[in-house]
Amino acid sequence: MQQITRAGQPMDVAGTLPAAGQMAPAMTLTNASLEDVTLDTYQGKRKVLNIIPSVDTPTCATSTRRFNELASSLENTVVLVVSADLPFAAMRFCGAEGLDNVETLSTFRHREFQEAWGVALCNSAMEGLCARAVVVLDADNRVLHSELVSEIKNEPDYDAALAALNS
């Protein structure tokens, strides 16, 4: 079991984040239209998965805004913001913020995603939410970059994610 911290306090994370060079695990998540989507939904596109606990927290909101900004200049790339938030809440946040370069996806019907992708918070008050992570996939779903953020209140390394897309 992996560990991250929240304000210095350890939290367990179940599963193993996919590593660079591996093929991405299968996933099914729910989009803003309450439809289930998979990696095949984005076939032929590069994917940035910005995995967060909830858009209702300051760091998650900041990373969603930042990836929205970065996505506007990325060709053949979709930014997927994955959280346990209900699709309605994520859609409301993006609408209020004017974010139209990211797609929000929810684990609320698909908690198996969390463990399969190594982001399942467990044994803490945040159990059921995702740890903060970024996974970058090429058009064939091979992992180019992955980062499990060690302190949940910290932002991910945006430059490393972009570098993986530009290599």
Side-chain angles (χ1 to χ4, degrees):
M1 184 150 319
Q2 305 171 93
Q3 280 199 328
I4 62 170
T5 58
R6 178 178 180 224
Q9 297 300 310
M11 295 192 317
D12 291 334
V13 181
T16 303
L17 193 69
Q22 294 180 333
M23 293 303 294
M27 71 173 207
T28 301
L29 296 166
T30 304
N31 69 13
S33 300
L34 299 178
E35 301 166 329
D36 287 347
V37 298
T38 66
L39 287 173
D40 289 342
T41 304
Y42 309 99
Q43 185 173 356
K45 290 190 178 277
R46 300 180 308 167
K47 293 156 266 317
V48 177
L49 283 80
N50 178 35
I51 305 168
I52 60 175
S54 172
V55 293
D56 285 329
T57 65
T59 305
C60 297
T62 298
S63 71
T64 300
R65 287 184 202 105
R66 181 74 175 124
F67 275 116
N68 179 76
E69 176 187 320
L70 296 171
S72 65
S73 65
L74 301 173
E75 290 186 32
N76 194 41
T77 304
V78 60
V79 176
L80 307 172
V81 179
V82 179
S83 72
D85 290 315
L86 291 176
F88 314 112
M91 186 171 55
R92 182 182 62 245
F93 171 80
C94 287
E97 295 282 330
L99 307 180
D100 55 7
N101 294 317
V102 297
E103 184 171 336
T104 58
L105 300 175
S106 178
T107 65
F108 89 108
R109 288 195 301 224
H110 306 286
R111 299 266 302 267
E112 70 281 354
F113 168 87
Q114 295 176 356
E115 193 161 332
W117 283 70
V119 294
L121 289 174
C122 53
N123 306 325
S124 76
M126 293 183 69
E127 186 168 347
L129 299 178
C130 297
R132 182 177 319 288
V134 174
V135 180
V136 178
L137 306 177
D138 69 11
D140 297 318
N141 299 324
R142 184 170 304 283
V143 178
L144 300 174
H145 166 78
S146 65
E147 174 192 11
L148 179 64
V149 179
S150 61
E151 166 58 53
I152 203 160
K153 292 183 176 184
N154 293 345
E155 292 179 57
D157 185 342
Y158 304 108
D159 292 337
L162 283 178
L165 287 169
N166 293 326
S167 63

